[in-house]
Amino acid sequence: MAQPLLEARQISKSFAGIRALKGVSLSVYPGEVLAVVGENGAGKSTLMKVLAGVQAPDSGELLVEGVVRGIDSVQQALLLGIALIHQELNLAETLDVGANIFLGREPHCCGWVDARRISREARLVLERVGLSVDPATLVGDLTIGQQQLVEIAKALSVNARVLIMDEPTSSLSDHETKVLLRLIRELRSKGVGIVYISHRLGEVQGLADRVEVLRDGENAGRLSKDEISHSAMVQLMVGRDLSQFYPHQSHQTGAVVLEVVGLRTRAYPGRTVDFQLRAGEVVGMAGLVGAGRSELLEALFGVVPALQGTVRVSGVVVSPRSPREAMNAGIALVPEDRKRQGLFLEMGVRENLSIASLHREQVGGFLNRSKERALCEEMIPAMRIKTAGVDQPVQFLSGGNQQKVVIGKWLATRPSVFLLDEPTRGVDIGAKQEIYRLMEELAAKGAAVLFVSSDLEEILGLSDRVLVLHEGRLSGELLRNELSEEAVMRLATAAQNEAKATAI
C-alpha cells in the first residue's frame, strides 16, 4: 500500500482530567474514504480537531507523508493540505458567502482585497457542491443545509489533500446528500484522502473503503472494504456487560399518564410522533445527535411550542404553549444545559429549590419565607445535596449537586410526568448513582419518567421501555426483554431504510 497522506500515532487528549482520547492511531491513504464511527462521546470529533490543528494533543505524533509534523494551528494544517469540515458550522453569518469561503485567505490586487476574483472563484467551488446562490448573499440568510454546503465549499477551496468531514450530511436534504456523495467519489478518484465521520451507517457502508471504530476514546477495531457491514460496525461500537452497573428494579405500572398524538416539532415539521407513558415506569429515549430528542421534550414542556399535535395528561388535553401551562398540568423538565436553562447561578440553593413552587409558598401575595425554608430543609437531605447552607450560591456547588438542585426544584412541584434531558451529563459516578436512585424512587411513587440519554449504558440499565428516535420520527420501541445495544443502534441508525436509500 502507498505511503499514508496523514498518520496519527498514539494520540491522547484530556479535558479537565477526563481522557477523551487514549492512544488512538489511524492512517489516511491517497484516494480512499476512511470512515470513523463510534457512539456519542467515543472521541471522534476530538480526534478530527487534533488532526486539523484545532486542538493540540497531550501526547502522540502526527505524520504528513511520512514526516513528523507538529500541527499546532488550523493555518498550519491548511498549509500542509489538511482541511476540516466542522460538525458545528464555523461561519460568520454577517459576512457574505464569498467572504466566508476565502476568510483569512483573501486574494489581493494592488493592496486591496480582490472582490471580483473572490466572486469568480467562489462561484466555481459553489458549483462543485451543487449550491446555486450568489456569492454576495449573506450567510445568515441561508438555510442550515445551505450553510453546510458553504462550509464544504470553503474546505474544497484550499485544494486539500486530506479532507476531514465531521457529520457533513446531518443538515442536508436527500438531494444535497446525493450531490455531496457524488463529489466525494470524484475527489477520491483524484487521489484526495477523505476522513468521513457519520452516524448514518448506511452511508458509511456504501461509501467507505475502510472503517476505523472508536469506543470510549480508544481504537476498538477496523474493517476492510469486504468486512464492512452494519452489524460488524455495531458490534465493534458496543459490547459491554451492563448488568453489574445498573441493577434494574421492576416497576408496577399503572394508568396512562401522558399521551402524545401527532406531535409535530419545529425541528422536524414534516414528521409526527405518537407515544404513551404510564404511571410508575421509567422510559428511555435514545437516538443519535440531531435526532430531535431534546426538541421533543421542549415541545412537551412548552419551551418551544409544538406546531401540531395533542398532549394529554391523565386524560386531560393540555398541549402546553408555555412552561407555565406545562407546570400547571403536572409536567416537569430537567433541561440538558442546567447552567443556562435550569439554574440561577448567582442565587442560593434556597431560591433555586423553591422557585418553581413559589406560587404555593405565598401568603397574601407575599412569599412565605418560613414555608420556603421548610421546603428547602426537607429537600436538601432528601436529595442528598452537599452544600454549606441554604443560602450558598449554586455556582459554587459541584456539577452533581447542581443537577440535584435542578431535580429537587421540580420534585417540589409534585409532578406526575418527569422529563429529564441528559440527566447525568457532566457529573461524577457518585452523583450519577444518586440521580439513578431518584429516578427509581420517582417511578416507585407513581410518576411517569421519560429520560433522554446519549449513554447507552444508562438507557439499557434504567429503562422499562426504550423509544428510539431517528431524524424526528419514532423508528421503534423496545421492551425490557428486547433491549440490547445492537437493537437500539439499529433503530437509531435506521439500518434497513438507510442501506436502501444510500446504496452505491
Side-chain angles (χ1 to χ4, degrees):
M1 185 175 282
Q3 185 179 73
L5 289 173
L6 177 63
E7 185 177 2
R9 294 179 180 174
Q10 295 295 308
I11 299 296
S12 294
K13 180 68 177 177
S14 297
F15 298 97
I18 299 173
R19 298 189 70 186
L21 297 173
K22 308 167 190 175
V24 174
S25 300
L26 61 74
S27 300
V28 187
Y29 291 88
E32 75 159 354
V33 176
L34 172 67
V36 180
V37 302
E39 297 180 59
N40 297 336
K44 305 184 298 298
S45 293
T46 299
L47 178 60
M48 297 308 109
K49 289 175 181 177
V50 169
L51 296 179
V54 178
Q55 295 171 345
D58 298 331
S59 61
E61 58 184 14
L62 299 174
L63 290 81
V64 179
E65 297 187 281
V67 179
V68 176
R69 299 282 190 175
I71 304 176
D72 55 10
S73 70
V74 173
Q75 191 64 32
Q76 185 177 7
L78 290 174
L79 291 173
L80 292 170
I82 304 166
L84 169 62
I85 299 170
H86 293 264
Q87 178 181 0
E88 298 177 358
L89 297 178
N90 191 29
L91 299 172
E93 294 191 354
T94 56
L95 297 180
D96 64 36
V97 171
N100 269 276
I101 290 175
F102 290 95
L103 188 62
R105 302 179 295 109
E106 296 86 352
H108 290 76
C109 180
C110 302
W112 297 87
V113 172
D114 191 341
R116 289 185 178 180
R117 182 179 169 189
I118 287 176
S119 179
R120 182 175 64 253
E121 295 187 9
R123 287 183 188 278
L124 293 175
V125 73
L126 289 171
E127 184 178 345
R128 292 185 70 189
V129 301
L131 182 56
S132 300
V133 299
D134 189 325
T137 304
L138 285 180
V139 164
D141 293 335
L142 302 180
T143 66
I144 295 298
Q146 290 173 322
Q147 290 181 15
Q148 180 72 70
L149 291 175
V150 172
E151 187 78 74
I152 295 167
K154 180 179 176 182
L156 291 179
S157 69
V158 302
N159 295 316
R161 298 199 62 199
V162 177
L163 189 57
I164 302 169
M165 298 183 169
D166 193 354
E167 297 286 355
T169 63
S170 60
S171 302
L172 302 185
S173 67
D174 290 341
H175 171 71
E176 291 167 337
T177 296
K178 290 177 182 177
V179 171
L180 176 61
L181 296 181
R182 186 164 57 247
L183 175 62
I184 289 171
R185 292 193 292 273
E186 174 193 326
L187 292 169
R188 176 172 58 187
S189 70
K190 294 180 178 179
V192 176
I194 296 170
V195 183
Y196 191 86
I197 297 177
S198 179
H199 283 302
R200 299 179 176 181
L201 299 187
E203 274 181 12
V204 171
Q205 189 172 344
L207 188 64
D209 297 298
R210 290 189 299 125
V211 172
E212 188 74 42
V213 183
L214 299 186
R215 183 171 68 235
D216 298 330
E218 300 179 273
N219 293 99
R222 51 186 57 91
L223 300 168
S224 60
K225 180 69 174 178
D226 59 355
E227 295 173 323
I228 299 172
S229 68
H230 189 276
S231 59
M233 287 186 282
V234 169
Q235 286 173 4
L236 288 173
M237 289 166 65
V238 299
R240 288 160 287 179
D241 179 12
L242 309 181
S243 58
Q244 60 181 314
F245 301 109
Y246 303 96
H248 179 259
Q249 301 295 320
S250 298
H251 300 120
Q252 184 66 41
T253 59
V256 173
V257 176
L258 178 69
E259 183 178 15
V260 178
V261 180
L263 192 71
R264 197 184 303 273
T265 68
R266 297 179 187 276
Y268 287 96
R271 295 183 171 178
T272 59
V273 176
D274 303 78
F275 65 91
Q276 294 180 339
L277 298 180
R278 294 183 174 274
E281 70 173 345
V282 176
V283 176
M285 180 168 283
L288 303 176
V289 173
R293 299 167 299 167
S294 296
E295 292 83 355
L296 176 59
L297 264 58
E298 289 178 349
L300 292 175
F301 195 63
V303 177
V304 180
L307 297 177
Q308 181 183 327
T310 302
V311 178
R312 295 185 179 90
V313 177
S314 299
V316 178
V317 176
V318 292
S319 299
R321 307 297 299 175
S322 69
R324 172 61 65 186
E325 289 184 23
M327 290 168 56
N328 292 338
I331 303 174
L333 170 65
V334 175
E336 179 179 11
D337 189 339
R338 61 177 172 269
K339 291 187 176 180
R340 291 183 57 217
Q341 299 172 306
L343 295 167
F344 293 94
L345 292 173
E346 295 181 359
M347 296 175 71
V349 173
R350 172 171 53 83
E351 291 93 342
N352 275 278
L353 278 174
S354 63
I355 198 163
S357 50
L358 284 176
H359 60 288
R360 292 207 302 265
E361 313 304 337
Q362 294 181 3
V363 177
F366 293 92
L367 180 63
N368 188 322
R369 290 291 185 184
S370 61
K371 285 190 175 182
E372 180 191 42
R373 185 169 290 274
L375 182 150
C376 294
E377 290 174 351
E378 173 190 351
M379 294 303 301
I380 289 174
M383 300 295 299
R384 301 182 188 178
I385 298 169
K386 296 179 180 179
T387 175
V390 295
D391 294 315
Q392 182 179 11
V394 296
Q395 62 182 318
F396 299 123
L397 300 182
S398 68
N401 282 297
Q402 287 180 352
Q403 188 73 329
K404 286 190 278 187
V405 170
V406 179
I407 296 173
K409 170 183 69 177
W410 291 116
L411 192 60
T413 68
R414 297 187 287 275
S416 54
V417 178
F418 225 108
L419 311 175
L420 301 101
D421 194 355
E422 301 286 2
T424 63
R425 173 169 289 172
V427 303
D428 62 31
I429 188 63
K432 284 186 177 183
Q433 292 175 341
E434 292 294 328
I435 292 170
Y436 299 153
R437 176 187 63 82
L438 289 168
M439 293 169 64
E440 292 284 344
E441 289 180 359
L442 284 167
K445 293 177 181 178
V449 179
L450 175 65
F451 76 102
V452 165
S453 178
S454 296
D455 186 337
L456 279 180
E457 289 190 4
E458 288 185 351
I459 290 288
L460 302 187
L462 299 172
S463 304
D464 296 305
R465 288 188 292 129
V466 172
L467 305 174
V468 186
L469 285 186
H470 173 74
E471 296 185 354
R473 69 178 178 85
L474 190 63
S475 59
E477 175 182 337
L478 298 168
L479 303 179
R480 180 73 190 176
N481 61 2
E482 299 172 321
L483 289 179
S484 71
E485 293 199 4
E486 288 192 39
V488 173
M489 288 299 296
R490 286 181 184 278
L491 290 172
T493 56
Q496 295 179 349
N497 292 338
E498 290 206 1
K500 293 176 183 177
T502 60
I504 297 176

